[in-house]
Amino acid sequence: MMRLDRLINVLGGYGARLCAAPRGREVALRGVALHDPAGVDEVLLAVGVDDVAALVADTLAAVVLLREVDEATLAVARERGVAVVRIDPGVSWGQLAAVVYGLVLEGRETEAGRGPTDLFALADALAASVGGPVTIEDQHAGVLAYSSRQEAADRARLATILGRRVPPEIRAELTTRGVYAHLASSDEPIFAEPMPEFHGRAVIAIRAGRELLGSIWVEVPEPLDSESSAALRAGARTASLHLLRARASADLERQVESDLVIGLLEGQADAPAVLSRLGLRGEVFRVIAVQAEQAQDAAVLLAFERATAGFGWARPGRSALFANTVYTVLPESEPPERWFRALRRNVPGDVRLRAGTGGEASSSELPLSRQEADESLAVGEGRALVDYEQVWHEILLRRLRGAAASGRIPSRGPVWELRRHDAEHGTRYTTTLREWLRCQGDPGAAAHRLGVHANTVRYRMRKMAEVTRLDLDDPDERLALIVALLID
């Protein structure tokens, strides 16, 4: 059921402001009206109304959207228990009507997450007409809705409903049999033969034009007759309308959320106010940055979709898609490792994700946590999840290398002169000095890293002193040499 809180959070991205909510933000909204009379618990858009106070005094609506709000109107609204939302004059009534209708009427919450409540009713209706339990899935084999009919349901169906996804072994077998290839290319039903713990399925694609939106699966022991096949085709056409409407509502919400999160991460927003609008509670947060290996655009979009799946405030974090990275702000109570494991479980196995986490931060420090998450990703190649607090030393050296490279390298000095000598004479003095410093002056350890004898290291160190001045007893010079040697 759509509630006032969700409506306000979405419309906030369009400049709307809640001016009064006498019955709180949990009021259920059941319809939309453009002109009075509005029904009970409906959203009333006050288009072209002159006497707004009189309108508020007489309406049965739960919330009224107004262009201008004065104290007299607010007093009447509080007395009548009507919520009042002031609308930005720059947003047209037509745009607002499209958004509100989409949210209230076409984006209703279900127990499965995003999607209209009618999708479950459709599954029940299909189960009755076709004669078997029905599951409606998205294009990634995730469960969107299922029929209440469960008699004789096999283990694969039960596992699919409980796990909200087709089990990997069943999906692999169906792929081998060409079922998913058929769904990708045909609008006709196909029968998937029985296998262990799988009684057989009549399957049809849900499509909008050429785009595959999902599929309908009916548990039946044999192929459908012509009448049942026709009912399944009609059900697929109806399901496509529901999924398109649900996606439009979901995309709108995602865009609003993404814009708010980007403002937080760039330090351009009133952080406490934005966190409140996003429904994030607490004093301490951290940012996690997620990318797909090889920067697959489709995989990044899928990760963003999965990260933002679910209605209301059931999700622990709030996410934004920026270039090829999904950024998520997590409260202190949600461990990044658990969040990332859940995200990886919710994407197909062939999508390989990697993540970096920033350090803990207050609301005003979120841009710093975002930078740390980016840096963790940069140094964590080959690792699935990299925590800033575990790799801070690598990041610090990377920052020092960048700072040193931003200025000019001296035309005279130890590093320049050793590099010139190596280039002219084929020696390996700079490499030897780097390893000697990394091994804290231990010639044996440095020799092991270089693949030479310890005496070779000692000899090279003596010869270096003939090429340039090296004061290796000075700790500050040793540190400066380490940083300078990091620059290519």
Side-chain angles (χ1 to χ4, degrees):
M1 180 63 64
M2 177 72 181
R3 298 193 181 278
L4 175 61
D5 182 70
R6 183 164 168 251
L7 178 71
I8 296 306
N9 281 298
V10 172
L11 293 183
Y14 294 84
R17 184 169 66 86
L18 180 65
C19 299
R23 293 190 287 156
R25 296 172 67 114
E26 294 303 309
V27 175
L29 306 176
R30 306 178 191 279
V32 182
L34 284 175
H35 300 282
D36 243 8
V40 175
D41 290 338
E42 288 192 340
V43 180
L44 174 59
L45 281 67
V47 182
V49 175
D50 295 325
D51 191 346
V52 292
L55 175 73
V56 172
D58 294 335
T59 187
L60 298 176
V63 53
V64 179
L65 275 56
L66 302 171
R67 286 288 192 208
E68 299 294 336
V69 180
D70 55 30
E71 285 303 320
T73 302
L74 290 178
V76 173
R78 294 187 183 103
E79 181 180 346
R80 294 275 298 149
V82 178
V84 174
V85 177
R86 186 180 66 79
I87 300 303
D88 189 327
V91 181
S92 72
W93 282 116
Q95 291 173 318
L96 285 170
V99 172
V100 175
Y101 270 99
L103 287 171
V104 177
L105 300 182
E106 298 176 353
R108 292 169 181 158
E109 183 174 356
T110 74
E111 58 187 292
R114 295 184 186 277
T117 52
D118 288 347
L119 211 53
F120 279 86
L122 174 61
D124 282 334
L126 274 175
S129 61
V130 178
V134 169
T135 305
I136 301 176
E137 301 174 6
D138 64 18
Q139 68 270 42
H140 306 295
V143 175
L144 297 173
Y146 49 87
S147 63
S148 55
R149 180 175 177 174
Q150 301 291 343
E151 63 271 19
D154 57 35
R155 293 195 177 209
R157 172 178 168 80
L158 297 176
T160 297
I161 292 174
L162 291 173
R164 297 291 175 89
R165 185 170 301 282
V166 177
E169 63 276 11
I170 299 294
R171 183 173 170 80
E173 179 61 27
L174 292 170
T175 300
T176 301
R177 296 183 181 188
V179 174
Y180 288 109
H182 175 88
L183 292 176
S185 60
S186 175
D187 294 333
E188 291 301 310
I190 184 176
F191 181 68
E193 297 287 343
M195 65 180 87
E197 300 186 348
F198 182 94
H199 292 168
R201 300 285 192 276
V203 193
I204 191 169
I206 303 171
R207 206 181 306 279
R210 296 181 179 179
E211 182 182 359
L212 180 66
L213 301 178
S215 53
I216 299 175
W217 301 68
V218 186
E219 185 179 331
V220 288
E222 58 188 21
L224 299 177
D225 58 28
S226 59
E227 184 178 348
S228 296
S229 294
L232 190 57
R233 291 189 192 94
R237 289 192 294 272
T238 303
S240 70
L241 296 177
H242 289 313
L243 294 185
L244 285 172
R245 289 169 179 169
R247 186 165 68 177
S249 174
D251 287 347
L252 169 65
E253 242 187 306
R254 286 190 178 103
Q255 186 59 55
V256 172
E257 178 176 323
S258 188
D259 290 345
L260 291 174
V261 171
I262 288 173
L264 276 178
L265 300 184
E266 293 185 341
Q268 300 174 351
D270 180 352
V274 172
L275 288 168
S276 177
R277 286 175 61 186
L278 287 168
L280 287 172
R281 305 289 183 258
E283 301 295 328
V284 179
F285 307 88
R286 71 167 69 212
V287 177
I288 180 168
V290 178
Q291 291 180 348
E293 291 188 4
Q294 301 174 345
Q296 303 162 293
D297 290 340
V300 172
L301 288 171
L302 178 59
F304 177 58
E305 179 184 312
R306 294 307 190 206
T308 52
F311 266 117
W313 306 132
R315 291 184 284 114
R318 302 291 177 269
S319 302
L321 179 61
F322 191 81
N324 66 335
T325 305
V326 176
Y327 293 101
T328 299
V329 178
L330 293 174
E332 184 182 22
S333 59
E334 178 67 15
E337 299 85 356
R338 183 170 67 189
W339 181 90
F340 186 56
R341 282 197 304 270
L343 178 63
R344 294 176 76 185
R345 283 197 303 268
N346 284 325
V347 298
D350 57 349
V351 174
R352 300 179 62 84
L353 302 177
R354 47 191 299 268
T357 70
E360 293 183 347
S362 65
S363 59
S364 62
E365 295 171 331
L366 283 170
L368 295 175
S369 187
R370 179 245 181 120
Q371 176 187 334
E372 293 158 357
D374 285 335
E375 291 174 315
S376 297
L377 266 177
V379 303
E381 190 172 352
R383 288 171 278 186
L385 179 64
V386 184
D387 191 319
Y388 171 71
E389 285 151 5
Q390 296 174 352
V391 296
W392 66 270
H393 58 292
E394 297 179 53
I395 291 173
L396 179 59
L397 290 176
R398 186 183 179 91
R399 290 174 183 171
L400 290 172
R401 183 189 303 128
S406 66
R408 294 191 304 163
I409 302 299
S411 58
R412 289 290 183 270
V415 174
W416 185 89
E417 289 169 349
L418 290 176
R419 282 181 172 155
R420 184 188 61 178
H421 191 277
D422 286 346
E424 293 176 355
H425 301 281
T427 53
R428 298 187 60 199
Y429 289 164
T430 52
T431 303
T432 301
L433 178 59
R434 181 188 299 115
E435 297 305 327
W436 187 89
L437 289 166
R438 292 183 68 180
C439 296
Q440 302 181 55
D442 184 338
H448 178 73
R449 295 178 65 90
L450 292 165
V452 298
H453 195 276
N455 285 338
T456 302
V457 173
R458 295 187 182 96
Y459 171 78
R460 291 177 182 174
M461 295 301 294
R462 288 196 301 271
K463 297 298 290 183
M464 285 181 213
E466 299 175 9
V467 174
T468 188
R469 184 198 65 78
L470 285 173
D471 187 0
L472 297 177
D473 292 327
D474 183 346
D476 291 339
E477 181 162 339
R478 289 200 305 271
L479 177 59
L481 287 168
I482 291 172
V483 174
L485 288 165
L486 289 173
I487 304 171
D488 293 332

